[in-house]
Amino acid sequence: MPHVLLIEDDASVRDGMELVLRRHGYGIDTAATGEEALAFLATPAGARVELAVLDLMLPGVDGFEVCRRLRATGSAIPVIMLTARGDDGDIVSGLEAGADDYVVKPVTAPVLEARIRAALRRAEPVRSARGEDHAGLAIDRAGLTVTKRGTPVPLPPTELRLLLELSAAPARVFSREQLLQSVWEHDFLGDSRLVDAAVGRLRAKIEDVPARPRYIQTVRGFGYRFGPV
């Protein structure tokens, strides 16, 4: 049974999501504040959490800071953030802080559950027998590890899947829509900010100079391709 942590200060919203997800077979823990969520995740019981649904506008430690602190600990659990309609700046900031996906409130039960299922699938290992070296960036597809000049590069599931997808076909140009479908499993005209934010986080970890990327190159007007150059 997948275990989800709901972090939402509005009790009615939190209780409604908990009821829906329990009916779909999820184990649920809840937190009303960022401080409560971080404290719980640091306990042995918090180790069972496989995904977090995180409201951005929390009192005290807000959702942005919760996400940043979570990623700073090395945690790779998927984070789906909840945001108010039209808060484009918050969406971008949340994605840059390390969120994997987002949904806009009020969210319907089928949409939330579908996003959770897709995020949990992204966190599952996808292995093949191949290991590759791309000019100092070694990708072990069997062990699901990445090293740069011998130094391990820990990657959360979404960023790892994005790198695996791009590097599987060097020099091929992938549109944002193709990457949304293959990595995020969005089967509609989704939000390209998910792709751009994940590329930015990935570049920060694997590129020598993220502003002048060698491995993940932007093809203006089309999308992204994997180098190296």
Side-chain angles (χ1 to χ4, degrees):
M1 178 185 296
H3 217 93
V4 174
L5 175 63
L6 298 178
I7 311 166
E8 165 65 64
D9 64 314
D10 187 318
S12 62
V13 173
R14 188 175 64 247
D15 292 345
M17 289 192 296
E18 179 179 5
L19 179 62
V20 166
L21 293 178
R22 285 194 184 279
R23 285 176 176 172
H24 281 85
Y26 294 93
I28 303 295
D29 286 298
T30 63
T33 67
E35 294 91 338
E36 184 182 344
L38 291 168
F40 175 75
L41 288 168
T43 67
R48 67 189 175 188
V49 172
E50 298 172 62
L51 179 142
V53 177
L54 171 65
D55 184 28
L56 289 182
M57 305 311 293
L58 297 169
V61 176
D62 63 20
F64 304 103
E65 185 61 19
V66 170
C67 199
R68 280 191 288 266
R69 292 188 191 181
L70 188 62
R71 294 304 183 222
T73 67
S75 173
I77 66 169
V79 174
I80 298 176
M81 61 182 183
L82 299 173
T83 181
R85 187 176 302 278
D87 287 344
D88 289 350
D90 285 349
I91 291 169
V92 172
S93 297
L95 293 172
E96 289 176 347
D100 298 275
D101 201 350
Y102 76 92
V103 291
V104 175
K105 295 192 294 187
V107 57
T108 64
V111 168
L112 178 60
E113 208 270 327
R115 294 294 185 87
I116 289 174
R117 281 190 283 108
L120 289 171
R121 283 194 296 270
R122 287 198 300 276
E124 294 173 354
V126 176
R127 305 178 189 275
S128 73
R130 293 194 296 151
E132 306 156 5
D133 187 276
H134 302 275
L137 186 72
I139 302 172
D140 182 348
R141 292 178 181 270
L144 293 178
T145 59
V146 177
T147 57
K148 182 178 177 182
R149 301 189 188 100
T151 300
V153 181
L155 295 175
T158 298
E159 293 166 35
L160 177 58
R161 281 185 178 262
L162 178 60
L163 179 60
L164 292 174
E165 183 75 13
L166 290 168
S167 63
R172 174 186 169 185
V173 178
F174 291 83
S175 70
R176 290 170 175 83
E177 290 74 20
Q178 288 172 321
L179 293 170
L180 277 168
Q181 188 171 40
S182 59
V183 177
W184 281 264
E185 301 183 28
H186 284 196
D187 56 0
F188 58 92
L189 186 59
D191 191 336
S192 64
R193 288 173 296 191
L194 290 169
V195 179
D196 295 339
V199 166
R201 298 194 305 265
L202 186 54
R203 281 175 172 164
K205 296 169 184 174
I206 68 172
E207 302 284 359
D208 291 330
V209 183
R212 297 196 299 274
R214 181 184 186 192
Y215 297 108
I216 300 178
Q217 302 147 29
T218 301
V219 182
R220 193 173 300 278
F222 292 93
Y224 297 101
R225 69 182 172 201
F226 184 79
V229 296

